Structures are given as C-alpha cells and as structure tokens.
Amino acid sequence: METSLPAISVATRAGASGTLKPESADGPNMTGRPLDVLEETLDTPVTVHLKDGTAHFGVLAGYDQHMNVVLDPTELEGSTDDEVEDTTIIRGDNVVSINV
Amino acid sequence: METSLPAISVATRAGASGTLKPESADGPNMTGRPLDVLEETLDTPVTVHLKDGTAHFGVLAGYDQHMNVVLDPTELEGSTDDEVEDTTIIRGDNVVSINV
Amino acid sequence: METSLPAISVATRAGASGTLKPESADGPNMTGRPLDVLEETLDTPVTVHLKDGTAHFGVLAGYDQHMNVVLDPTELEGSTDDEVEDTTIIRGDNVVSINV
Amino acid sequence: METSLPAISVATRAGASGTLKPESADGPNMTGRPLDVLEETLDTPVTVHLKDGTAHFGVLAGYDQHMNVVLDPTELEGSTDDEVEDTTIIRGDNVVSINV
Amino acid sequence: METSLPAISVATRAGASGTLKPESADGPNMTGRPLDVLEETLDTPVTVHLKDGTAHFGVLAGYDQHMNVVLDPTELEGSTDDEVEDTTIIRGDNVVSINV
Amino acid sequence: METSLPAISVATRAGASGTLKPESADGPNMTGRPLDVLEETLDTPVTVHLKDGTAHFGVLAGYDQHMNVVLDPTELEGSTDDEVEDTTIIRGDNVVSINV
Amino acid sequence: METSLPAISVATRAGASGTLKPESADGPNMTGRPLDVLEETLDTPVTVHLKDGTAHFGVLAGYDQHMNVVLDPTELEGSTDDEVEDTTIIRGDNVVSINV
C-alpha cells in the first residue's frame, strides 16, 4: 500500500512559478512560458529594462520564479553604456521587460 | 483502500491561477476567463499596453498565471513603431491591458 | 473507511477568492459579494474605470478572482468613446471600479 | 477510524481573512474586526473613500475579504454628489476608509 | 491510532499573522509584537497616521492581521480635528504608524 | 504506525518568515538574517527610516515577520527630534531600513 | 507502512524562496540563482541600490528570501560616502539591485 501525494506537489509548484508543465493533457498549454524562455536564455546576453527607465546589459547567469535575475559582465571587447561592470542581482519587481 | 486527494490539487491550482474550471456544477462560471483568452490567443498578434504608457506589438509566444507574457516579432513585412524587435519577456505587473 | 478532505478544499478556495459560500451556517454572509456580482453580470455591458483615469466600455465576457476582466465590443450601433474596439483583457490591479 | 482535518480548515480561513473567531480561548480577540463590521453594515448606507481622493456613497450590498465592496444606489429622494448611480464594484486595493 | 495535525495549524497561523507565540522554546521571541500591542490597545484611544498624510483619532474598536483597523468616536467632550465622526474602517495598507 | 508531518510545519514557517534555520545541513546559511538581527536587537535603541523620508528613534519593543515594528520612547534624558513620544507601531511596508 | 510527505516539503520551500534545487532531473536549472549568489556573497562587500536612488555599501552579513539584507560596516581604512556606519537592515522591497 502506498499513499503518495504527487498531485499536491505538482500543483503547488505550478501555482507558485508556472514553470512546470501541467500533467493533465487538457490543461492550459502556455507555450513558451516566460520562465521557460529565461531558462533557455541562460548564459546568453540579455537586456533588462527597469521601471526607473534604466537598462542593464549582461549575460543571464541566473533567475528565479520572481523574475529576480543575475547578470554577469560579457567578455566582449568594449562595453556599451548599459553593460553591467560586476555581477549584478536585480530584484524582479523592478523589471519591466527582458529582451533575449 | 485508497487515499486520494484530488480536491486539494484542484483547489490549489484554481486558487492560484483561476485557469481550471471548477469541478462542482454550481460553482462560478467565469465564462471566457482572462487566462483562457490568452491561451486561445497563443501564436497570434497582440498589443500589450503597459503602465508606463508604452505599447508592445508582437506574436503571443507564451504567458503564465501572473500575466507575464512573451512576445515574438511578427513576420509581417514592414513593422509598426510598437513592434518588438526581439523576443521580449514582459513582467505581468506592468501590464494594463492586452488587445487580442 | 474513507479519508476525505473536503474542508481543505473549501477553505482554500474561499480563502483565495471569496466566491464560494461558506458551508457553516454561522459564517459571514457577505451578501452580493463582488465576484458574485461579476458572475451575474457576464454577457452584459459594463464600464471599467482604471487607475490611469481611463474608462473602458464593453460586454463582460469573462473575469477571474483577481478581478482580471475580458471585455468584448458591444454590437450596438454606434460606439462611445470608451467602447473597446477589440476583445480586451484588463489586468485586475489596474481596476478602480466596475459599473454594472 | 476517521482522519479529519478541521484544524487546517480553520487555520487557513483565519489566516486568509481574519473573519472567523479563533477557536482557542486564549487567542487574540480583535473585538469588532473590520470584516465583522462590514458584515453588520450590509444593506445600510456607507461612504467609501478611495486613494484617488474620491468618495462613493451607497448601500453596502456586498464585500469580500480583500475589502472589495459592492455599492447600490440608495432609494432616498435626491442624491448627493458622491452617490453611485448604478451598482458599483470597487476593488479593495483602492480603498482608504469606509464610514459606516 | 491518531492522525493529528496540530503543527500545520499553528505554523500556518503564525506564518500568516505573527500573533501566536511559537511553541518551540528556542523559536524567535518577538517580544511585544505589533499585533499583540494592538490587542492590548483595544477600547483605548489611538492616532492612526496614513500614507496620504492624514491622521485619524478614535477608540480602537477592532483590527485584523492586515492591520485593517476600526475606529469609533471617543465620548470625550469636544473633539479634535483628527477625531473620526463615525465608526471608520481603515484599510491596513494605508497605515504608516499607530500611536497607542 | 505513525503519520507525522513535521516537514510541512517547518517548511511553511521557513517559507513565511525565514527566521527558522533549515534543518538540512546543506541548505542555505543566510548568516545573520534580518529577522534574527531584529530579535537580537530587542530592548535596545534603533532608528527606523521610512519611505516618506522620516526617521523614528526608539527602543525596539517588538517586531514580526512583515517587519512591522513597535518602538517605545527611550528613558534617556533629553530627546532627539526623531524620538517617538509614545509607543508607536510602524507598519513594515513603510520601512526602508533599520539602524541597530 | 509509511506515509511520508517529502514532496510537499520540498515543493513548498522551493515555491517560497527558489533557493533549493529541484529534485527532479528535468526541472528548471536556474543556474546561479539570485539567492544562491547572495549566499556565496556572505561576508564580502556589496553595494545595494535602492528605489529612492541611494546606494549602501557594506559587508553582507545576512539576507532572507525576500531579499531583506543586513549590511555591516567594512573594516577598511577610510570609508566611502555610501558606506553604512552601523549594522543596517534593509527591507527587500526597496532594493533595485545588488552589486557583488
């Protein structure tokens, strides 16, 4: 006999972050969901636009379900005005959009 | 003997995103709920209006329950001022409205 | 033997959206709760007033527990300045009031 | 054998809305809690003051745990400047105070 | 055999409002926590300062875990400019501070 | 047979407030976490800086997981401009920083 | 017979803070997540940029899942304009970015 509770686990994680595909075949699809796109974008350069009007350019080194992000300086020669100089953690509630 | 917990799973997911139809026949209907409309709109062009007064036009490539959205450039010839140039993730809390 | 958990389900859904009547006879009444009124208003014209001072007139095609709403153009001849031209999803956190 | 979970239900509902009296005799009292006062005020006239500086006068027809409220026009002869003309749903996050 | 779940109840309530003392002897103390102070202040006069710069003076008739408060007029002769004229519910997210 | 659920309790409390050390040896450390520092600061003078630009000086009499704080007047001779005159509850969402 | 619930615990903690690696091999990666970077940065100097335009320089003495942080003065000779003078708790919702 087994009393397993996989449904709770999946539901809670899906509810919190939207990053796990629903198991049920007839649930919403949400193709290319925002956090899935961030996952695919790891280790590539992005521009993050903030509510204060500034933009930050760097390699996406990490993120979480709140859209908090970590940007690393690129190793490209020369840098743009927007490029981060050091590893920078940006709190998600400041983010307007991310160009990938 | 079975100890199944479907009610918890459904309730939690409905509570978090409102995208799953309630099982009970006499629950609220909510016809054409916002996230259902987004689901039906996947892969078609939309205009997203933000709180900063800007508008962003593109193909809806994805979304999640926070109304975070992913827009892709359209493949139409010529582009409007509002059209996104690259794949763009918009954080949901900036969204005022989405025209589908 | 049965291990049913209806109480969790009801409590969670009530906690999240307030749209289900409490089972207990002596719980709060909340007559004509906001989401119940929206439910009754489906398929009829409403005006949604937003925090940016704009108003949007259309047929209420859907809503969810965050007060995200979907408006469709009316099929009335002539249209007012406020009438939506296309199906429009409005994110609930922009809403000040809804006239039904 | 019975595996009942009343404690979860009560705790969750109390945590979400504060409208149910705690069962334990030595818990907080919170006499005349805000939502209890709204419950007692149903079907009587109230003035709702919003963050945008406006005030709305009407009969309290409903409310929920977010302090979303529904106001109906009064049937009094003559109406004040503040009186609602139609049934009006006000989203709770706009509310500053309610005079009962 | 007993399947009791007291820990969930306590943890959830503590997490939501911070008003119940943790059971564990080595948990945080939080002496004189904000909601405990409100509880002790019931039925005495307080001044509530709001984010819009206004102040409201009255007898604390109730409160909840969101710091929503209910103020009643005092029965003192004469009234100050700040004193509430009727029973007033103030939504907690407008509150800056409460002088007790 | 025992059906204990200690893991839920711990996880929920840690998730809500971050004040309990994770049990697992390889979980995050978070040395000197903000609420732990507040706990250690109880009964000593602090300055609380608010978003409206004001500062409030007093003895930290209590706090909770939302960073709601209770300040008491100090018993020092003379008082600074910033010192609270009465016991003051400050709602956490107004707090920018606390100097301990 | 054993009724263990490890999945709930893990899911809840991951949902709340994003700091624990998902167990499932095909879950999201989120390499170098924001809170992981803060964990690695403990005891080293950081600059915290706030929404009010100020910056605060100090040794990261602690943090939690809301990005509340604790800064200690550095022991470097001389101090910059931005350096904190005392142990300072910064509430996370004020944070724009953290340079590590």
Side-chain angles (χ1 to χ4, degrees):
Chain A
M1 178 187 134
E2 187 180 352
T3 308
S4 63
L5 289 168
I8 297 182
S9 170
V10 167
T12 303
R13 286 156 78 178
S17 75
T19 59
L20 299 181
K21 303 282 182 191
E23 289 178 338
S24 125
D26 58 355
N29 179 2
M30 299 182 179
T31 308
R33 283 172 289 186
L35 296 188
D36 293 342
V37 174
L38 281 181
E39 179 72 21
E40 292 159 12
T41 306
L42 283 169
D43 300 324
T44 67
V46 300
T47 300
V48 181
H49 297 273
L50 301 190
K51 288 177 181 165
D52 64 8
T54 61
H56 300 261
F57 176 73
V59 171
L60 182 66
Y63 72 95
D64 64 21
Q65 79 276 20
H66 304 295
M67 224 177 270
N68 297 324
V69 295
V70 181
L71 296 185
D72 278 338
T74 66
E75 294 179 2
L76 305 173
E77 273 185 63
S79 67
T80 69
D81 288 353
D82 292 339
E83 182 163 348
V84 297
E85 293 183 18
D86 300 296
T87 295
T88 301
I89 301 169
I90 296 173
R91 200 171 187 266
D93 69 325
N94 299 284
V95 173
V96 175
S97 62
I98 302 176
N99 292 108
V100 304
Chain B
M1 175 184 139
E2 186 181 353
T3 308
S4 64
L5 289 168
I8 296 183
S9 170
V10 168
T12 303
R13 286 156 80 179
S17 75
T19 60
L20 300 181
K21 303 282 182 191
E23 290 179 337
S24 124
D26 58 354
N29 178 3
M30 298 182 179
T31 308
R33 284 173 289 187
L35 296 188
D36 292 342
V37 174
L38 281 181
E39 179 72 21
E40 293 159 13
T41 306
L42 283 169
D43 300 323
T44 67
V46 299
T47 300
V48 181
H49 297 272
L50 301 191
K51 289 177 181 164
D52 64 8
T54 61
H56 300 261
F57 176 72
V59 171
L60 183 66
Y63 72 95
D64 64 21
Q65 79 276 20
H66 304 295
M67 224 177 271
N68 298 324
V69 296
V70 181
L71 297 184
D72 279 338
T74 66
E75 295 179 2
L76 304 173
E77 274 184 64
S79 68
T80 68
D81 287 354
D82 292 340
E83 183 163 347
V84 297
E85 293 183 18
D86 300 296
T87 295
T88 301
I89 301 169
I90 296 173
R91 200 171 187 266
D93 69 325
N94 299 284
V95 173
V96 175
S97 62
I98 302 177
N99 293 107
V100 305
Chain C
M1 177 187 137
E2 186 181 352
T3 308
S4 63
L5 288 167
I8 296 182
S9 170
V10 168
T12 303
R13 286 155 79 178
S17 75
T19 60
L20 300 182
K21 303 282 183 191
E23 291 179 336
S24 122
D26 58 353
N29 178 4
M30 298 182 180
T31 307
R33 283 173 290 186
L35 296 189
D36 293 343
V37 174
L38 281 181
E39 179 73 21
E40 292 160 12
T41 306
L42 282 170
D43 301 323
T44 67
V46 300
T47 300
V48 181
H49 297 273
L50 302 190
K51 288 177 181 164
D52 63 9
T54 61
H56 301 261
F57 176 72
V59 171
L60 182 66
Y63 72 95
D64 65 20
Q65 79 276 20
H66 304 295
M67 224 177 271
N68 298 325
V69 295
V70 181
L71 297 185
D72 279 338
T74 66
E75 295 178 1
L76 304 174
E77 273 185 63
S79 68
T80 68
D81 287 353
D82 292 340
E83 183 163 347
V84 296
E85 294 182 17
D86 300 296
T87 295
T88 301
I89 301 169
I90 296 173
R91 200 170 187 268
D93 69 324
N94 299 284
V95 173
V96 175
S97 62
I98 302 177
N99 292 108
V100 306
Chain D
M1 176 185 139
E2 187 182 352
T3 308
S4 63
L5 288 167
I8 295 182
S9 171
V10 167
T12 303
R13 286 155 79 178
S17 75
T19 60
L20 301 182
K21 303 283 182 190
E23 290 179 337
S24 122
D26 58 354
N29 178 4
M30 298 182 180
T31 308
R33 284 173 289 186
L35 296 188
D36 293 342
V37 174
L38 281 181
E39 179 73 20
E40 292 159 12
T41 306
L42 283 169
D43 301 323
T44 67
V46 300
T47 300
V48 181
H49 297 273
L50 301 190
K51 288 177 181 165
D52 63 10
T54 61
H56 300 261
F57 176 73
V59 171
L60 183 66
Y63 72 95
D64 65 21
Q65 79 275 20
H66 304 295
M67 224 177 271
N68 298 325
V69 295
V70 181
L71 297 185
D72 280 337
T74 65
E75 296 178 0
L76 303 174
E77 274 185 64
S79 67
T80 68
D81 287 352
D82 292 339
E83 183 164 346
V84 296
E85 294 182 17
D86 300 296
T87 295
T88 301
I89 301 169
I90 296 172
R91 199 169 188 268
D93 69 324
N94 299 284
V95 173
V96 176
S97 62
I98 302 177
N99 292 109
V100 305
Chain E
M1 177 187 137
E2 187 181 353
T3 308
S4 63
L5 288 167
I8 296 181
S9 170
V10 167
T12 303
R13 286 155 80 178
S17 75
T19 59
L20 301 181
K21 303 284 183 190
E23 289 179 338
S24 123
D26 58 354
N29 178 3
M30 298 182 180
T31 308
R33 284 173 290 186
L35 296 188
D36 294 342
V37 174
L38 282 181
E39 179 73 21
E40 292 159 13
T41 307
L42 283 169
D43 301 323
T44 67
V46 300
T47 299
V48 181
H49 297 273
L50 301 190
K51 288 177 182 166
D52 63 9
T54 61
H56 301 260
F57 176 72
V59 171
L60 183 65
Y63 72 96
D64 64 22
Q65 80 275 19
H66 304 295
M67 224 178 270
N68 297 325
V69 295
V70 181
L71 296 185
D72 280 337
T74 66
E75 296 179 1
L76 303 174
E77 274 185 62
S79 68
T80 69
D81 287 352
D82 291 339
E83 183 164 346
V84 297
E85 293 183 17
D86 300 295
T87 296
T88 300
I89 301 170
I90 296 172
R91 200 169 187 267
D93 69 324
N94 299 284
V95 173
V96 175
S97 62
I98 301 176
N99 292 108
V100 305
Chain F
M1 176 185 140
E2 186 181 353
T3 308
S4 63
L5 289 167
I8 296 181
S9 170
V10 167
T12 303
R13 286 155 80 177
S17 75
T19 59
L20 301 181
K21 302 285 183 189
E23 288 178 339
S24 122
D26 58 353
N29 179 2
M30 299 182 178
T31 308
R33 284 174 288 186
L35 296 188
D36 293 342
V37 174
L38 281 181
E39 179 73 20
E40 291 159 14
T41 307
L42 283 169
D43 300 324
T44 67
V46 300
T47 300
V48 181
H49 297 273
L50 302 190
K51 288 176 181 166
D52 63 9
T54 61
H56 301 260
F57 176 72
V59 171
L60 183 66
Y63 72 96
D64 64 21
Q65 81 275 20
H66 304 295
M67 224 177 272
N68 298 324
V69 295
V70 181
L71 297 185
D72 279 338
T74 66
E75 295 179 0
L76 304 174
E77 273 186 63
S79 68
T80 69
D81 288 352
D82 292 339
E83 183 163 346
V84 297
E85 294 182 17
D86 301 295
T87 295
T88 300
I89 300 169
I90 296 172
R91 200 170 186 267
D93 69 325
N94 299 284
V95 173
V96 175
S97 62
I98 302 176
N99 292 108
V100 304
Chain G
M1 176 185 140
E2 185 181 353
T3 308
S4 64
L5 289 167
I8 297 182
S9 169
V10 167
T12 303
R13 287 155 78 177
S17 75
T19 58
L20 301 181
K21 303 284 183 190
E23 289 178 338
S24 124
D26 58 354
N29 179 1
M30 299 182 179
T31 308
R33 283 173 289 187
L35 296 189
D36 293 343
V37 174
L38 282 181
E39 179 72 21
E40 292 159 13
T41 306
L42 284 169
D43 300 324
T44 67
V46 300
T47 300
V48 181
H49 297 273
L50 301 190
K51 289 177 181 167
D52 64 9
T54 61
H56 301 260
F57 176 73
V59 172
L60 183 66
Y63 72 95
D64 64 22
Q65 80 275 20
H66 304 295
M67 224 177 270
N68 298 324
V69 295
V70 181
L71 296 185
D72 279 338
T74 65
E75 295 179 1
L76 304 173
E77 274 184 62
S79 67
T80 69
D81 288 352
D82 293 338
E83 183 163 347
V84 297
E85 293 182 18
D86 301 296
T87 295
T88 301
I89 301 169
I90 296 173
R91 200 170 187 267
D93 69 325
N94 299 284
V95 173
V96 175
S97 62
I98 303 176
N99 292 107
V100 304

